[in-house]
Amino acid sequence: MVCNGYVVHNLFCNICVNDHVFLYRRILDCSADVYTEYVSSFLESRSEAIPKSASNLERHDLETLLQILSSNSEASAQEQILITFCNISAFSINHDIIRNLDGIRIIGGFLSHADPKIKAGALNVLNNLSLNLPNQEQIQAFINEVLKDITECSLNSEVQLAGLRLVINMSVTNKYHEKMEDYIPNLLNLLDEGNDTTKIHTLKLLVNMSANPLMTRPLLASKAPPLFPSLFDGNINKDVLIRVLSFTANLSENLAKDQQYDGPRHLKEDSIYAVLFKDPAVLQRNLVLLLLFPDMEIKEEAYRCIRSTETLLL
């Protein structure tokens, strides 16, 4: 049949808004371009109100979008729906609804999509949803896939940053750290290779992991990136420096509590342990200069590092 704009519009409205069933292009029997145009029009009309009145969205609205997303093969429509869900999921009132509609599984399925924009879109939605602890129980199934993408995708790309944002949220508690342990060497390499934004995001994750005593040994045993010592320079980006200091202080405090740790006997000379703590006095001398730093946060973290390494000198 000929795809008349008026007919398509009315079919779309009836199917998507009133009957809440899938909109299939074969039902409309029109071109992909026309189909995508009307999907886009519908999403724009619905998403305009989202930032202002997310609480007014009904369960059936979210269900309809999930149905369209899961049944649609048009990349442009998928991308727009994921952007819409990113806006919707920014409001906690929608978190439980999306989970109960099996939305996490549906959206997580797009992590394997070949298009980086769609993959990043799915990561952004899951990142918002991960602020809800029951949602984390489902999202944790994707942690390995996300970390694999972080280490294999283009350096400093949106996919890499979106993935890091998600695992940062997932690492706030200790519950999923063991799932991340195998990727510690790859994450440390990003401290050498990435730009400042990538370094900051990577360090946020490493700081969270280093606060967990169970992660102290695998972190200390990992190979230190060649440029790691230079991250203590007061001339580098402040947000990088303060997180390097926090990472070091966390490890030092945990190491001081672990009286049975025999790191020097089996760790390599290029390990994090060797670089930081083989001679704690050297680390302390480097940190003393940071006590003169004008920024109070830097001073406080530098002092925390110095204080925690004193135990290692005894």
Side-chain angles (χ1 to χ4, degrees):
M1 77 179 196
V2 177
C3 186
N4 178 276
Y6 177 79
V7 173
V8 173
H9 174 75
N10 279 281
L11 278 172
F12 185 84
C13 291
N14 289 335
I15 292 173
C16 289
V17 179
N18 297 327
D19 298 329
H20 317 301
V21 297
F22 297 152
L23 174 65
Y24 292 108
R25 180 157 58 91
R26 61 177 175 79
I27 293 176
L28 298 180
D29 193 23
C30 60
S31 70
D33 290 341
V34 173
Y35 172 80
T36 301
E37 178 184 347
Y38 280 96
V39 170
S40 301
S41 176
F42 170 75
L43 293 177
E44 288 175 4
S45 68
R46 296 297 296 166
S47 62
E48 284 176 359
I50 288 171
K52 297 180 181 178
S53 56
S55 60
N56 293 333
L57 288 173
E58 300 290 341
R59 177 188 173 95
H60 61 73
D61 292 323
L62 302 181
E63 185 176 17
T64 296
L65 286 174
L66 285 170
Q67 289 172 340
I68 298 172
L69 180 63
S70 60
S71 66
N72 191 281
S73 61
E74 300 295 334
S76 58
Q78 291 171 343
E79 182 183 352
Q80 289 187 36
I81 295 172
L82 287 169
I83 291 172
T84 300
F85 265 112
C86 189
N87 291 331
I88 293 170
S89 62
F91 298 91
S92 59
I93 193 172
N94 298 315
H95 287 181
D96 291 339
I97 300 174
I98 293 173
R99 182 184 68 253
N100 293 333
L101 289 171
D102 202 24
I104 291 174
R105 181 192 63 80
I106 293 170
I107 292 164
F110 287 89
L111 296 179
S112 59
H113 201 285
D115 189 331
K117 291 183 179 179
I118 291 176
K119 183 176 292 190
L123 286 166
N124 288 332
V125 178
L126 293 178
N127 178 45
N128 287 343
L129 293 173
S130 69
L131 298 175
N132 176 302
L133 290 179
N135 286 350
Q136 287 192 1
E137 292 289 341
Q138 294 188 20
I139 295 173
Q140 58 93 16
F142 302 108
I143 286 178
N144 286 337
E145 183 177 359
V146 173
L147 285 165
K148 188 172 184 291
D149 277 339
I150 288 171
T151 59
E152 295 181 357
C153 70
S154 299
L155 186 64
N156 306 321
S157 64
E158 180 53 35
V159 169
Q160 189 171 71
L161 294 175
L164 284 168
R165 286 191 292 267
L166 174 56
V167 289
I168 287 167
N169 281 350
M170 296 294 291
S171 69
V172 170
T173 67
N174 298 348
K175 193 169 184 178
Y176 307 111
H177 286 179
E178 289 187 4
K179 288 179 173 288
M180 306 174 187
E181 181 178 336
D182 290 343
Y183 292 89
I184 289 174
N186 306 85
L187 293 167
L188 287 169
N189 286 337
L190 292 179
L191 299 182
D192 260 6
E193 302 166 358
N195 60 21
D196 282 349
T197 302
T198 298
K199 288 177 182 176
I200 291 167
H201 280 70
T202 303
L203 283 165
K204 286 181 179 180
L205 173 58
L206 292 173
V207 167
N208 287 346
M209 295 181 71
S210 67
N212 179 1
L214 295 178
M215 289 292 105
T216 301
R217 297 191 180 195
L219 284 166
L220 291 175
S222 298
K223 180 180 178 181
L227 297 180
F228 188 71
S230 68
L231 297 179
F232 291 88
D233 190 322
N235 294 319
I236 69 169
N237 183 293
K238 172 199 165 183
D239 290 323
V240 172
L241 177 57
I242 194 168
R243 287 171 175 83
V244 170
L245 292 172
S246 297
F247 174 72
T248 303
N250 286 345
L251 291 177
S252 180
E253 290 172 353
N254 290 337
L255 185 57
K257 297 173 185 176
D258 191 352
Q259 300 297 326
Q260 298 180 343
Y261 187 59
D262 58 347
R265 298 183 182 179
H266 65 274
L267 295 184
K268 296 180 179 179
E269 288 299 310
D270 58 359
S271 67
I272 290 286
Y273 177 89
V275 170
L276 289 178
F277 305 120
K278 183 179 181 180
D279 188 350
V282 173
L283 176 62
Q284 284 199 340
R285 285 196 296 271
N286 293 334
L287 292 172
V288 165
L289 296 175
L290 295 178
L291 294 177
L292 304 175
F293 206 79
D295 186 274
M296 185 56 65
E297 284 186 282
I298 299 295
K299 286 182 179 179
E300 290 175 352
E301 286 302 303
Y303 176 73
R304 180 173 163 236
C305 284
I306 293 172
R307 183 183 59 193
S308 60
T309 54
E310 286 176 352
T311 306
L312 304 179
L313 291 169
L314 300 177

